[in-house]
Amino acid sequence: MRDVIVAANWKMHTTPADAAELARTIAARTREAGVIRVICPPFVCLAAVREAVADDDPPVAVGAQTVHHELAGAHTGETSAPMLAGLASWVILGHSERRRDAYETDELIGRKLARAVDAGLRPILCVGEQLDEREAGRATGVVDEQLAGALEGHDPGALAAAGLVIAYEPVWAIGTGRNARGPDAAAMADAIRASLERRGWASRAADVPVLYGGSVTSANIDEFLAEPAIDGALVGGASLKPDEMAGIVSRAGLTARARGTA
Ligand code: PGA
């Protein structure tokens, strides 16, 4: 059975002074057997958050929001995957805000993926279409191309062993309060696994966790987790609110129990 995962993407919010407290509060309110909890704060808060949740049970994983595609070198302001040793065990890659703000391409995201896996980080690869692409009936094709670009040259066995997670995040749903419909997200999760299957993943594709992301809240999480194809959520805005996280993870706990993973 696939992992049930709730990942918090704090984006460019919190400071080292307040991140620890927020992480502790969220951790204390989201203890659900069988749900993998991941908190992804800004780089400068990784150490504080890691320390704050170090003894939580079940464990809370800490993730970065990106890594550089090189191991080291003259790249002012950047952070490489090996630098995260002892700070993070997960990493978000290819988030649409980085595609937009840092001009990340699928090819570049593929290189980041290699660095992440080599460093032992569990990757959450984000894909998702723009509104005009969905309206033109091209959503599945766009996501297929993103997967093709990022996964080109990667060994499916190695990525499967690294626990690759795909987050389907339609760009028009991120931070807009306008979430996708559960059945549409589930159809995309199926399309994602079919895409992996065509790219040499064969039966391993069925084991890849697919999360939904885009204006997830405690009020709409049920719509997504009611879909067997969806294994959890990548949560942005609501992940900074302990009440919201409590509701979201509690609903994920139901899924974990139904799947027998709790
Ligand atoms: P949102 O962000 O929940 O605020 O829409 C999700 C994300 O960007 O991962």
Side-chain angles (χ1 to χ4, degrees):
M1 259 305 175
R2 294 188 299 263
D3 290 335
V4 178
I5 301 163
V6 176
N9 176 8
W10 285 2
K11 308 192 180 187
M12 199 168 73
H13 297 289
T14 70
T15 66
D18 56 32
E21 172 80 24
L22 181 61
R24 252 191 306 271
T25 305
I26 289 173
R29 297 197 52 196
T30 57
R31 293 190 184 115
E32 281 287 338
V35 180
I36 296 181
R37 299 172 292 167
V38 189
I39 298 180
C40 305
F43 281 126
V44 295
C45 299
L46 284 171
V49 169
R50 188 183 154 98
E51 201 191 314
V53 301
D55 298 325
D56 221 81
D57 185 32
V60 177
V62 178
Q65 298 174 11
T66 185
V67 280
H68 198 261
H69 56 278
E70 298 286 356
L71 288 173
H75 301 288
T76 302
E78 299 291 345
T79 300
S80 73
M83 291 174 185
L84 295 175
L87 288 172
S89 52
W90 288 60
V91 64
I92 298 170
L93 296 174
H95 192 280
S96 65
E97 286 153 15
R98 294 206 52 87
R99 293 175 189 259
R100 180 195 69 200
D101 298 346
Y103 310 105
E104 290 188 2
T105 61
D106 294 314
E107 188 266 340
L108 191 79
I109 293 161
R111 291 166 69 188
K112 291 169 182 272
L113 186 57
R115 299 293 91 74
V117 170
D118 287 349
L121 297 166
R122 186 167 182 185
I124 301 176
L125 172 63
C126 300
V127 293
E129 80 285 356
Q130 306 278 346
L131 185 58
D132 59 333
E133 294 167 335
R134 173 154 289 268
E135 287 173 348
R138 299 205 297 116
T140 307
V142 166
V143 167
D144 183 59
E145 276 166 35
Q146 290 172 336
L147 289 171
L151 301 181
E152 166 85 41
H154 285 273
D155 171 39
L159 288 185
L164 176 70
V165 175
I166 308 286
Y168 168 54
E169 298 207 307
V171 179
W172 48 270
I174 296 178
T176 57
R178 180 180 172 194
N179 57 285
R181 296 268 70 87
D184 290 339
M188 188 61 88
D190 290 341
I192 286 168
R193 294 195 181 96
S195 172
L196 294 179
E197 215 176 303
R198 285 195 304 278
R199 295 178 200 293
W201 284 65
S203 62
R204 278 181 296 236
D207 298 330
V208 174
V210 176
L211 313 183
Y212 168 75
S215 298
V216 169
T217 65
S218 59
N220 65 27
I221 183 66
D222 182 63
E223 166 165 9
F224 301 103
L225 289 181
E227 300 289 343
I230 297 182
D231 304 305
L234 179 54
V235 187
S239 75
L240 294 158
K241 300 175 184 157
D243 285 350
E244 284 293 312
M245 283 298 281
I248 292 165
V249 178
S250 152
R251 176 59 188 83
L254 286 181
T255 296
R257 284 194 286 284
R259 291 183 179 192
T261 58

